[in-house]
Amino acid sequence: MNRFVEFINTGNEDLAREVISSDAVFHAPSHPEPLRGPDGYLEVIGMMRSAFPDVQWTLEETVAEGDTVAARFTMRGTHDGEFFGIPASGNTISVQAMNFYYLADGRIVGERGQPDLLGVMQQIGAVPAP
């Protein structure tokens, strides 16, 4: 998981291929169909970096059972690019994400991610905050 966090915080393609299986399947709320392999994950990272160029994920805690890891992250960044059609606001965000990772042979073969997209949309001013 530490190498994976290094990958998502740098977008390093070589590291992506080291930690993510070529046949991995990722379910992201930003995409209606599953993404596949390192290139699929790089697509999500690219989308996030185009909207939040300084985005960083902090791994707050993990719980592991067998080949499954539950991970809670804090995602922080500055909204300096378009995000789901919302123009850059310059606002900073700090939201949580809960993800499940499935591992085999020391590599990620799947993920189901649940970032706090409502929190992101509120913090960038797209949705009124309560």
Side-chain angles (χ1 to χ4, degrees):
M1 286 303 298
N2 290 333
R3 297 285 286 161
F4 175 74
V5 173
E6 181 182 344
F7 154 62
I8 61 176
N9 282 327
T10 63
N12 181 301
E13 292 184 24
D14 292 332
L15 193 51
R17 295 181 200 312
E18 178 185 320
V19 299
I20 298 172
S21 173
S22 61
D23 59 353
V25 177
F26 303 102
H27 300 272
S30 57
H31 292 73
E33 297 296 322
L35 298 157
R36 301 193 182 277
D39 290 334
Y41 215 96
L42 284 161
E43 182 180 328
V44 171
I45 297 297
M47 178 193 77
M48 292 305 298
R49 288 204 178 284
S50 69
F52 306 93
D54 60 348
V55 68
Q56 290 290 287
W57 288 268
T58 302
L59 182 59
E60 303 291 356
E61 64 183 307
T62 59
V63 176
E65 182 177 308
D67 291 333
T68 302
V69 176
R72 182 176 63 85
F73 291 90
T74 300
M75 181 181 78
R76 295 177 179 89
T78 308
H79 183 217
D80 284 335
E82 186 175 299
F83 185 68
F84 289 108
I86 308 303
S89 65
N91 293 354
T92 57
I93 62 159
S94 179
V95 296
Q96 300 287 300
M98 290 292 302
N99 300 342
F100 284 91
Y101 296 92
Y102 307 97
L103 309 173
D105 300 320
R107 298 170 84 194
I108 295 173
V109 296
E111 178 198 56
R112 287 201 177 264
Q114 291 297 314
D116 180 7
L117 289 178
L118 176 59
V120 171
M121 297 305 258
Q122 289 172 332
Q123 291 176 34
I124 65 174
V127 173

